[in-house]
Amino acid sequence: MNSAAFGTTLVVAPHPDDEVLGAGGTMSKLSAAGNDVFVAIVTEGKPPAFSAAMVAKVQAECRRSLELLGVKETVWLGFPAAALSEIAHSTLNAALGELIARLRPQTLIIPFLGDMHLDHQLIFASCLVAARPHQPQYPTLILAYETLSETNWNAPYLTPSFVPNVFVDIEDHLERKLEAMRCYASQIRDAPHERSIDSLRALATLRGATVLRRAAEAFVLVRCVC
């Protein structure tokens, strides 16, 4: 799938760094090709679980990271992290719907339904509501990405498994992705933790080898209208 097929692209991240883990190489590739790439960070930490200083630090890391990837605009929706289940589903639907109506993305890249984190699951469902094809303009391509330390830690055979059927060659953008992830110094861990630079590189190598490429990001196709 070439960059032209993506057009204007909106990547939806439940929490800062999910977007880089799942689609950082693809974002770098698309922005380098001249595509407009937008990112929506749906939640932010709220006290008492997260201090204002912690939130400010992660948001600063996010801004540096997405600048490296050439993201045109980052939208902060400000819903409470790890507490989306306490928000009316219609409220989240409306916020994402308004964003899609404003940006008019051709492509929507979203978290995977089978991720362990409930925030990811709820955002997947709300994105599909917001992108329903009954409106004059809607995203014609929807892809779900995998998130290390979420997608692989679900319950095998009990929750949907991530079986990718779309691969984006990121050989020329892997180092930029890893550099962007290093910006999230507060979030990365040492190997063999899944949320480590070594694990990210290994996953990209594995996904690439699956389709005879040196590095790739993998997605599940949710919808394609062409």
Side-chain angles (χ1 to χ4, degrees):
M1 186 172 290
N2 59 43
S3 301
F6 283 77
T8 298
T9 298
L10 171 61
V11 180
V12 180
H15 318 100
D17 84 356
D18 290 332
E19 76 289 352
V20 177
L21 289 167
T26 301
M27 289 194 288
S28 177
K29 183 172 186 174
L30 292 177
S31 63
N35 295 48
D36 287 338
V37 178
F38 298 87
V39 170
I41 307 293
V42 177
T43 72
E44 67 176 31
K46 304 290 186 185
F50 303 92
S51 69
M54 291 170 61
V55 172
K57 181 177 183 179
V58 173
Q59 290 183 343
E61 292 172 344
C62 180
R63 283 191 285 272
R64 287 196 296 274
S65 176
L66 297 187
E67 183 178 357
L68 276 176
L69 297 177
V71 170
K72 184 174 183 177
E73 178 185 347
T74 303
V75 180
W76 304 85
L77 295 183
F79 287 96
L84 274 184
S85 59
E86 299 174 18
I87 301 296
H89 195 52
S90 59
T91 302
L92 181 57
N93 295 348
L96 289 167
E98 290 170 6
L99 183 62
I100 289 173
R102 177 172 73 85
L103 299 178
R104 298 184 176 185
Q106 178 178 327
T107 297
L108 192 58
I109 301 180
I110 62 179
F112 182 59
L113 176 63
D115 289 357
M116 181 175 63
H117 203 303
L118 187 55
D119 285 354
H120 290 226
Q121 299 170 22
L122 294 171
I123 289 169
F124 175 91
S126 287
C127 283
L128 292 193
V129 171
R132 284 179 294 189
H134 65 87
Q135 40 200 334
Q137 291 195 342
Y138 60 86
T140 52
L141 177 63
I142 301 178
L143 301 172
Y145 60 84
E146 59 185 328
T147 307
L148 281 174
S149 78
E150 296 292 349
T151 308
N152 296 330
W153 288 355
N154 61 9
Y157 307 109
L158 301 178
T159 52
S161 297
F162 188 87
V163 183
N165 52 7
V166 175
F167 298 82
V168 176
D169 185 338
I170 63 164
E171 178 182 355
D172 294 336
H173 298 271
L174 176 58
E175 296 307 320
R176 180 59 59 92
K177 170 176 178 164
L178 299 181
E179 186 180 358
M181 192 60 209
R182 288 189 184 94
C183 291
Y184 281 109
S186 67
Q187 304 300 307
I188 58 177
R189 301 290 182 270
D190 293 332
H193 196 288
E194 271 217 320
R195 195 175 288 264
S196 67
I197 297 299
D198 288 353
S199 297
L200 265 181
R201 185 186 296 279
L203 179 62
T205 302
L206 173 64
R207 294 308 189 195
T210 303
V211 290
L212 201 60
R213 299 291 189 275
R214 294 193 178 278
E217 284 175 337
F219 303 89
V220 169
L221 176 62
V222 178
R223 179 171 72 203
C224 181
V225 181
C226 57

